Amino acid sequence: MRIATWNVNSLNARLPRVEEWIDYARPDVLCMQETKLADAAFPSMAFSALGYEVASHGDGRWNGVAIASRVGLEDVARGFEGPADDQGARLVAATCGGVRVHSVYVPNGREVPGEHYDAKLAWYDELLAYLERTSKPTDKVAVCGDFNVAPDDRDVWDPAAMVGSTHVTGPERDRLRALEEWGLVDAFRLCYAQDQLFSWWDYRAGNFHKHMGLRIDLVMVSRPLAEGVTYAVIDRNARKGKQPSDHAPVLVDIDI
DNA sequence: ATGGTTGCGAAGCAA
């Protein structure tokens, strides 16, 4: 199974790039974030034309997540049905080809300290509680998306410049580790150990061309899937050219 | 140097 995740930063603005990317990457499952579309406005026909079923969870202007699958799409669940849903439409789950897939858009956190930062940590806690009650680590589980945390300093363009900033603080990284302790594995790190491999670059100040980025888009998989990971890549080409998202898609191949 | 750019939506906010 080829599973991918991409923060598209508005599916309406990005649809031509997403269609182009699907056409050459041919993922079996594509998790998207920041669709910025209400479910009623989701371009389902565009995905249908490419052979994909879609499940979306969006309330319009901000946030919004979706899963596109060409290997089946069953038992769709939207949100936590809990307090963290107040932070927007940021979670959708579905069973695709025998894998319980989650597309997540973790809150940014903004300032440290701050109420949005605290809410981000609470969102992580609710994600862990959700996984604990809906899946088992011995199941085939994938949690894919924009985690808005760089797992360690290899994932940061200049760790010294970012000390104390959101995306790199201890409490945020502890939340990622708690997901790992539950049983998830950062699939990209099964394939690459080196630093300076990023998935997001600020639009501003030519950061992409200056290699000033972060790796915050992750495919986290349970051990039964981790054992089958054969390949991973961050497709930097999708960050180039006309009207790119500020994130690149992350793709993982898994023998199931 | 608290800069710079994009998306949404029509001014300012979020990222």
PDB file of all heavy atoms in Angstrom, chain A residues 206-232:
ATOM      1  N   GLY A 206      11.613  33.557   0.878  1.00  0.00           N
ATOM      2  CA  GLY A 206      12.347  32.564   0.101  1.00  0.00           C
ATOM      3  C   GLY A 206      12.891  31.415   0.928  1.00  0.00           C
ATOM      4  O   GLY A 206      13.940  30.846   0.616  1.00  0.00           O
ATOM      5  N   ASN A 207      12.166  31.070   1.985  1.00  0.00           N
ATOM      6  CA  ASN A 207      12.675  30.041   2.896  1.00  0.00           C
ATOM      7  C   ASN A 207      12.903  28.692   2.213  1.00  0.00           C
ATOM      8  O   ASN A 207      13.829  27.964   2.576  1.00  0.00           O
ATOM      9  CB  ASN A 207      11.711  29.861   4.077  1.00  0.00           C
ATOM     10  CG  ASN A 207      11.907  30.926   5.143  1.00  0.00           C
ATOM     11  OD1 ASN A 207      12.634  31.890   4.934  1.00  0.00           O
ATOM     12  ND2 ASN A 207      11.271  30.747   6.275  1.00  0.00           N
ATOM     13  N   PHE A 208      12.056  28.348   1.256  1.00  0.00           N
ATOM     14  CA  PHE A 208      12.228  27.058   0.575  1.00  0.00           C
ATOM     15  C   PHE A 208      13.582  26.992  -0.125  1.00  0.00           C
ATOM     16  O   PHE A 208      14.324  26.018   0.013  1.00  0.00           O
ATOM     17  CB  PHE A 208      11.091  26.841  -0.429  1.00  0.00           C
ATOM     18  CG  PHE A 208      11.227  25.560  -1.218  1.00  0.00           C
ATOM     19  CD1 PHE A 208      11.065  24.332  -0.604  1.00  0.00           C
ATOM     20  CD2 PHE A 208      11.529  25.590  -2.574  1.00  0.00           C
ATOM     21  CE1 PHE A 208      11.190  23.144  -1.323  1.00  0.00           C
ATOM     22  CE2 PHE A 208      11.651  24.414  -3.304  1.00  0.00           C
ATOM     23  CZ  PHE A 208      11.480  23.191  -2.680  1.00  0.00           C
ATOM     24  N   HIS A 209      13.908  28.060  -0.833  1.00  0.00           N
ATOM     25  CA  HIS A 209      15.163  28.065  -1.591  1.00  0.00           C
ATOM     26  C   HIS A 209      16.378  28.161  -0.673  1.00  0.00           C
ATOM     27  O   HIS A 209      17.473  27.768  -1.042  1.00  0.00           O
ATOM     28  CB  HIS A 209      15.138  29.182  -2.625  1.00  0.00           C
ATOM     29  CG  HIS A 209      14.018  29.023  -3.611  1.00  0.00           C
ATOM     30  ND1 HIS A 209      14.038  28.080  -4.620  1.00  0.00           N
ATOM     31  CD2 HIS A 209      12.810  29.620  -3.696  1.00  0.00           C
ATOM     32  CE1 HIS A 209      12.918  28.130  -5.295  1.00  0.00           C
ATOM     33  NE2 HIS A 209      12.145  29.065  -4.754  1.00  0.00           N
ATOM     34  N   LYS A 210      16.145  28.669   0.542  1.00  0.00           N
ATOM     35  CA  LYS A 210      17.233  28.750   1.524  1.00  0.00           C
ATOM     36  C   LYS A 210      17.293  27.512   2.416  1.00  0.00           C
ATOM     37  O   LYS A 210      18.063  27.479   3.375  1.00  0.00           O
ATOM     38  CB  LYS A 210      17.060  30.017   2.378  1.00  0.00           C
ATOM     39  CG  LYS A 210      17.283  31.310   1.596  1.00  0.00           C
ATOM     40  CD  LYS A 210      17.301  32.526   2.510  1.00  0.00           C
ATOM     41  CE  LYS A 210      16.046  33.342   2.361  1.00  0.00           C
ATOM     42  NZ  LYS A 210      16.021  34.559   3.182  1.00  0.00           N
ATOM     43  N   HIS A 211      16.460  26.542   2.112  1.00  0.00           N
ATOM     44  CA  HIS A 211      16.425  25.290   2.887  1.00  0.00           C
ATOM     45  C   HIS A 211      16.118  25.541   4.360  1.00  0.00           C
ATOM     46  O   HIS A 211      16.665  24.868   5.230  1.00  0.00           O
ATOM     47  CB  HIS A 211      17.736  24.514   2.722  1.00  0.00           C
ATOM     48  CG  HIS A 211      18.096  24.272   1.288  1.00  0.00           C
ATOM     49  ND1 HIS A 211      17.402  23.389   0.490  1.00  0.00           N
ATOM     50  CD2 HIS A 211      19.037  24.831   0.498  1.00  0.00           C
ATOM     51  CE1 HIS A 211      17.918  23.404  -0.728  1.00  0.00           C
ATOM     52  NE2 HIS A 211      18.906  24.273  -0.751  1.00  0.00           N
ATOM     53  N   MET A 212      15.273  26.526   4.606  1.00  0.00           N
ATOM     54  CA  MET A 212      14.856  26.836   5.984  1.00  0.00           C
ATOM     55  C   MET A 212      13.465  26.251   6.207  1.00  0.00           C
ATOM     56  O   MET A 212      12.453  26.894   5.910  1.00  0.00           O
ATOM     57  CB  MET A 212      14.854  28.355   6.197  1.00  0.00           C
ATOM     58  CG  MET A 212      16.259  28.967   6.100  1.00  0.00           C
ATOM     59  SD  MET A 212      16.253  30.764   5.881  1.00  0.00           S
ATOM     60  CE  MET A 212      15.469  31.286   7.408  1.00  0.00           C
ATOM     61  N   GLY A 213      13.446  25.017   6.718  1.00  0.00           N
ATOM     62  CA  GLY A 213      12.155  24.349   6.872  1.00  0.00           C
ATOM     63  C   GLY A 213      12.093  23.500   8.129  1.00  0.00           C
ATOM     64  O   GLY A 213      12.983  23.526   8.982  1.00  0.00           O
ATOM     65  N   LEU A 214      10.997  22.773   8.228  1.00  0.00           N
ATOM     66  CA  LEU A 214      10.770  21.835   9.325  1.00  0.00           C
ATOM     67  C   LEU A 214      10.173  20.555   8.755  1.00  0.00           C
ATOM     68  O   LEU A 214       9.469  20.590   7.748  1.00  0.00           O
ATOM     69  CB  LEU A 214       9.777  22.401  10.352  1.00  0.00           C
ATOM     70  CG  LEU A 214      10.110  23.719  11.051  1.00  0.00           C
ATOM     71  CD1 LEU A 214       8.911  24.161  11.891  1.00  0.00           C
ATOM     72  CD2 LEU A 214      11.347  23.565  11.924  1.00  0.00           C
ATOM     73  N   ARG A 215      10.423  19.432   9.432  1.00  0.00           N
ATOM     74  CA  ARG A 215       9.696  18.200   9.095  1.00  0.00           C
ATOM     75  C   ARG A 215       8.612  18.019  10.148  1.00  0.00           C
ATOM     76  O   ARG A 215       8.877  17.608  11.268  1.00  0.00           O
ATOM     77  CB  ARG A 215      10.633  16.989   9.074  1.00  0.00           C
ATOM     78  CG  ARG A 215       9.958  15.726   8.485  1.00  0.00           C
ATOM     79  CD  ARG A 215      10.921  14.559   8.380  1.00  0.00           C
ATOM     80  NE  ARG A 215      11.273  14.047   9.685  1.00  0.00           N
ATOM     81  CZ  ARG A 215      10.630  13.040  10.308  1.00  0.00           C
ATOM     82  NH1 ARG A 215       9.624  12.425   9.706  1.00  0.00           N
ATOM     83  NH2 ARG A 215      11.004  12.652  11.508  1.00  0.00           N
ATOM     84  N   ILE A 216       7.404  18.380   9.770  1.00  0.00           N
ATOM     85  CA  ILE A 216       6.270  18.328  10.697  1.00  0.00           C
ATOM     86  C   ILE A 216       5.122  17.485  10.152  1.00  0.00           C
ATOM     87  O   ILE A 216       4.131  17.284  10.845  1.00  0.00           O
ATOM     88  CB  ILE A 216       5.744  19.754  11.020  1.00  0.00           C
ATOM     89  CG1 ILE A 216       5.405  20.522   9.756  1.00  0.00           C
ATOM     90  CG2 ILE A 216       6.773  20.508  11.854  1.00  0.00           C
ATOM     91  CD1 ILE A 216       4.819  21.905  10.008  1.00  0.00           C
ATOM     92  N   ASP A 217       5.255  17.021   8.902  1.00  0.00           N
ATOM     93  CA  ASP A 217       4.227  16.176   8.285  1.00  0.00           C
ATOM     94  C   ASP A 217       4.694  14.730   8.370  1.00  0.00           C
ATOM     95  O   ASP A 217       5.741  14.374   7.831  1.00  0.00           O
ATOM     96  CB  ASP A 217       4.003  16.604   6.837  1.00  0.00           C
ATOM     97  CG  ASP A 217       3.523  18.042   6.747  1.00  0.00           C
ATOM     98  OD1 ASP A 217       2.309  18.264   6.858  1.00  0.00           O
ATOM     99  OD2 ASP A 217       4.382  18.952   6.613  1.00  0.00           O
ATOM    100  N   LEU A 218       3.920  13.924   9.071  1.00  0.00           N
ATOM    101  CA  LEU A 218       4.373  12.582   9.435  1.00  0.00           C
ATOM    102  C   LEU A 218       3.364  11.519   9.025  1.00  0.00           C
ATOM    103  O   LEU A 218       2.154  11.769   9.024  1.00  0.00           O
ATOM    104  CB  LEU A 218       4.577  12.483  10.952  1.00  0.00           C
ATOM    105  CG  LEU A 218       5.411  13.581  11.621  1.00  0.00           C
ATOM    106  CD1 LEU A 218       5.428  13.361  13.135  1.00  0.00           C
ATOM    107  CD2 LEU A 218       6.821  13.632  11.052  1.00  0.00           C
ATOM    108  N   VAL A 219       3.904  10.344   8.697  1.00  0.00           N
ATOM    109  CA  VAL A 219       3.094   9.132   8.569  1.00  0.00           C
ATOM    110  C   VAL A 219       3.487   8.240   9.740  1.00  0.00           C
ATOM    111  O   VAL A 219       4.591   7.708   9.775  1.00  0.00           O
ATOM    112  CB  VAL A 219       3.347   8.430   7.220  1.00  0.00           C
ATOM    113  CG1 VAL A 219       2.608   7.095   7.165  1.00  0.00           C
ATOM    114  CG2 VAL A 219       2.920   9.327   6.057  1.00  0.00           C
ATOM    115  N   MET A 220       2.598   8.161  10.712  1.00  0.00           N
ATOM    116  CA  MET A 220       2.846   7.354  11.908  1.00  0.00           C
ATOM    117  C   MET A 220       2.073   6.047  11.762  1.00  0.00           C
ATOM    118  O   MET A 220       0.852   6.076  11.544  1.00  0.00           O
ATOM    119  CB  MET A 220       2.381   8.095  13.161  1.00  0.00           C
ATOM    120  CG  MET A 220       3.003   9.474  13.361  1.00  0.00           C
ATOM    121  SD  MET A 220       4.698   9.428  13.956  1.00  0.00           S
ATOM    122  CE  MET A 220       4.450   8.950  15.666  1.00  0.00           C
ATOM    123  N   VAL A 221       2.771   4.919  11.893  1.00  0.00           N
ATOM    124  CA  VAL A 221       2.118   3.624  11.686  1.00  0.00           C
ATOM    125  C   VAL A 221       2.367   2.694  12.866  1.00  0.00           C
ATOM    126  O   VAL A 221       3.414   2.754  13.514  1.00  0.00           O
ATOM    127  CB  VAL A 221       2.596   2.952  10.382  1.00  0.00           C
ATOM    128  CG1 VAL A 221       2.194   3.802   9.169  1.00  0.00           C
ATOM    129  CG2 VAL A 221       4.100   2.712  10.381  1.00  0.00           C
ATOM    130  N   SER A 222       1.397   1.822  13.094  1.00  0.00           N
ATOM    131  CA  SER A 222       1.552   0.810  14.144  1.00  0.00           C
ATOM    132  C   SER A 222       2.561  -0.245  13.697  1.00  0.00           C
ATOM    133  O   SER A 222       2.899  -0.347  12.513  1.00  0.00           O
ATOM    134  CB  SER A 222       0.200   0.172  14.457  1.00  0.00           C
ATOM    135  OG  SER A 222      -0.329  -0.451  13.291  1.00  0.00           O
ATOM    136  N   ARG A 223       3.022  -1.044  14.660  1.00  0.00           N
ATOM    137  CA  ARG A 223       4.089  -1.990  14.376  1.00  0.00           C
ATOM    138  C   ARG A 223       3.771  -2.991  13.265  1.00  0.00           C
ATOM    139  O   ARG A 223       4.646  -3.281  12.441  1.00  0.00           O
ATOM    140  CB  ARG A 223       4.500  -2.714  15.653  1.00  0.00           C
ATOM    141  CG  ARG A 223       5.829  -2.243  16.162  1.00  0.00           C
ATOM    142  CD  ARG A 223       6.119  -2.654  17.596  1.00  0.00           C
ATOM    143  NE  ARG A 223       6.124  -1.505  18.476  1.00  0.00           N
ATOM    144  CZ  ARG A 223       7.013  -0.522  18.421  1.00  0.00           C
ATOM    145  NH1 ARG A 223       7.974  -0.541  17.509  1.00  0.00           N
ATOM    146  NH2 ARG A 223       6.959   0.477  19.252  1.00  0.00           N
ATOM    147  N   PRO A 224       2.547  -3.503  13.198  1.00  0.00           N
ATOM    148  CA  PRO A 224       2.253  -4.442  12.100  1.00  0.00           C
ATOM    149  C   PRO A 224       2.463  -3.820  10.718  1.00  0.00           C
ATOM    150  O   PRO A 224       2.789  -4.537   9.766  1.00  0.00           O
ATOM    151  CB  PRO A 224       0.777  -4.792  12.331  1.00  0.00           C
ATOM    152  CG  PRO A 224       0.572  -4.594  13.795  1.00  0.00           C
ATOM    153  CD  PRO A 224       1.436  -3.428  14.168  1.00  0.00           C
ATOM    154  N   LEU A 225       2.309  -2.516  10.606  1.00  0.00           N
ATOM    155  CA  LEU A 225       2.579  -1.829   9.341  1.00  0.00           C
ATOM    156  C   LEU A 225       4.051  -1.449   9.240  1.00  0.00           C
ATOM    157  O   LEU A 225       4.652  -1.545   8.150  1.00  0.00           O
ATOM    158  CB  LEU A 225       1.714  -0.571   9.222  1.00  0.00           C
ATOM    159  CG  LEU A 225       0.211  -0.793   9.119  1.00  0.00           C
ATOM    160  CD1 LEU A 225      -0.522   0.551   9.054  1.00  0.00           C
ATOM    161  CD2 LEU A 225      -0.139  -1.639   7.900  1.00  0.00           C
ATOM    162  N   ALA A 226       4.645  -1.019  10.346  1.00  0.00           N
ATOM    163  CA  ALA A 226       6.047  -0.584  10.332  1.00  0.00           C
ATOM    164  C   ALA A 226       6.959  -1.695   9.806  1.00  0.00           C
ATOM    165  O   ALA A 226       7.940  -1.434   9.091  1.00  0.00           O
ATOM    166  CB  ALA A 226       6.479  -0.153  11.731  1.00  0.00           C
ATOM    167  N   GLU A 227       6.612  -2.924  10.141  1.00  0.00           N
ATOM    168  CA  GLU A 227       7.422  -4.068   9.690  1.00  0.00           C
ATOM    169  C   GLU A 227       7.451  -4.185   8.179  1.00  0.00           C
ATOM    170  O   GLU A 227       8.370  -4.775   7.618  1.00  0.00           O
ATOM    171  CB  GLU A 227       6.847  -5.369  10.280  1.00  0.00           C
ATOM    172  CG  GLU A 227       7.036  -5.485  11.781  1.00  0.00           C
ATOM    173  CD  GLU A 227       6.200  -6.610  12.398  1.00  0.00           C
ATOM    174  OE1 GLU A 227       5.500  -7.312  11.620  1.00  0.00           O
ATOM    175  OE2 GLU A 227       6.243  -6.765  13.623  1.00  0.00           O
ATOM    176  N   GLY A 228       6.454  -3.594   7.504  1.00  0.00           N
ATOM    177  CA  GLY A 228       6.371  -3.733   6.053  1.00  0.00           C
ATOM    178  C   GLY A 228       6.807  -2.515   5.272  1.00  0.00           C
ATOM    179  O   GLY A 228       6.700  -2.491   4.038  1.00  0.00           O
ATOM    180  N   VAL A 229       7.316  -1.486   5.950  1.00  0.00           N
ATOM    181  CA  VAL A 229       7.705  -0.259   5.243  1.00  0.00           C
ATOM    182  C   VAL A 229       8.920  -0.525   4.349  1.00  0.00           C
ATOM    183  O   VAL A 229       9.938  -1.027   4.805  1.00  0.00           O
ATOM    184  CB  VAL A 229       8.015   0.881   6.236  1.00  0.00           C
ATOM    185  CG1 VAL A 229       8.649   2.071   5.517  1.00  0.00           C
ATOM    186  CG2 VAL A 229       6.731   1.312   6.944  1.00  0.00           C
ATOM    187  N   THR A 230       8.774  -0.204   3.054  1.00  0.00           N
ATOM    188  CA  THR A 230       9.862  -0.460   2.102  1.00  0.00           C
ATOM    189  C   THR A 230      10.448   0.822   1.519  1.00  0.00           C
ATOM    190  O   THR A 230      11.557   0.799   0.975  1.00  0.00           O
ATOM    191  CB  THR A 230       9.350  -1.314   0.915  1.00  0.00           C
ATOM    192  OG1 THR A 230       8.252  -0.630   0.286  1.00  0.00           O
ATOM    193  CG2 THR A 230       8.897  -2.675   1.408  1.00  0.00           C
ATOM    194  N   TYR A 231       9.713   1.941   1.620  1.00  0.00           N
ATOM    195  CA  TYR A 231      10.168   3.159   0.945  1.00  0.00           C
ATOM    196  C   TYR A 231       9.416   4.345   1.516  1.00  0.00           C
ATOM    197  O   TYR A 231       8.260   4.226   1.909  1.00  0.00           O
ATOM    198  CB  TYR A 231       9.885   3.049  -0.561  1.00  0.00           C
ATOM    199  CG  TYR A 231      10.255   4.254  -1.381  1.00  0.00           C
ATOM    200  CD1 TYR A 231      11.580   4.563  -1.654  1.00  0.00           C
ATOM    201  CD2 TYR A 231       9.264   5.105  -1.893  1.00  0.00           C
ATOM    202  CE1 TYR A 231      11.927   5.672  -2.414  1.00  0.00           C
ATOM    203  CE2 TYR A 231       9.605   6.216  -2.655  1.00  0.00           C
ATOM    204  CZ  TYR A 231      10.932   6.491  -2.916  1.00  0.00           C
ATOM    205  OH  TYR A 231      11.274   7.590  -3.668  1.00  0.00           O
ATOM    206  N   ALA A 232      10.111   5.476   1.555  1.00  0.00           N
ATOM    207  CA  ALA A 232       9.450   6.725   1.945  1.00  0.00           C
ATOM    208  C   ALA A 232      10.125   7.873   1.217  1.00  0.00           C
ATOM    209  O   ALA A 232      11.317   7.794   0.880  1.00  0.00           O
ATOM    210  CB  ALA A 232       9.530   6.943   3.459  1.00  0.00           C
TER     211      ALA A 232
END
